[in-house]
Amino acid sequence: MVNVIKISKKGFTLLEMLVVIGIIGVLVGMGAVSYSSAQKKSRDSKRKSDLKVIQSSLEQYYSVCKDSPFTYPNKTTAQLYSGGITCTDPSMTILSSSNLPKDPKSLANYTYTYVSASNTYTICTSNMETETPATLCLDNQQ
């Protein structure tokens, strides 16, 4: 009688491993692109929200302080400075310097422009990443 030795092969072949690694690579690549796109949309949404907060604060300044916000911060074109939006009479801080929104990616201040001919202001960001045009501006509501 002849002894038969059974050799059992357990494991994966090199080709099977390469196919699995390739599939995982494709899935990771698709996920990274999707994540990057979601980040850009999130930053754009934050920019829109920030401009609305600043616009509302300037309109509140006009309402409460009985003073025109249009010359804030007493310059015709300026970046919103770190002093916040404060009323002197009555003494009140509408938007403190620590809460003054900044661009979520560059951390720069948003641009504030006063147009004396029409007595209006404009708050802008030119960093929109997923929208066309890349500049978003809000004007006074009064």
Side-chain angles (χ1 to χ4, degrees), residues 58-77:
L58 289 172
E59 296 297 327
Q60 183 179 2
Y61 175 88
Y62 176 75
S63 176
V64 171
C65 304
K66 307 294 188 246
D67 194 8
S68 173
F70 309 134
T71 56
Y72 169 86
N74 299 324
K75 297 178 182 177
T76 54
T77 301

Side-chain angles (χ1 to χ4, degrees), residues 53-110:
V53 166
I54 295 169
Q55 181 186 38
S56 295
S57 297
L58 289 172
E59 296 297 327
Q60 183 179 2
Y61 175 88
Y62 176 75
S63 176
V64 171
C65 304
K66 307 294 188 246
D67 194 8
S68 173
F70 309 134
T71 56
Y72 169 86
N74 299 324
K75 297 178 182 177
T76 54
T77 301
Q79 287 197 334
L80 291 174
Y81 68 104
S82 59
I85 300 173
T86 305
C87 183
T88 54
D89 186 25
S91 181
M92 163 185 215
T93 300
I94 296 170
L95 186 62
S96 68
S97 58
S98 61
N99 292 331
L100 195 64
K102 294 185 182 293
D103 184 82
K105 187 173 183 182
S106 67
L107 298 179
N109 290 330
Y110 294 103

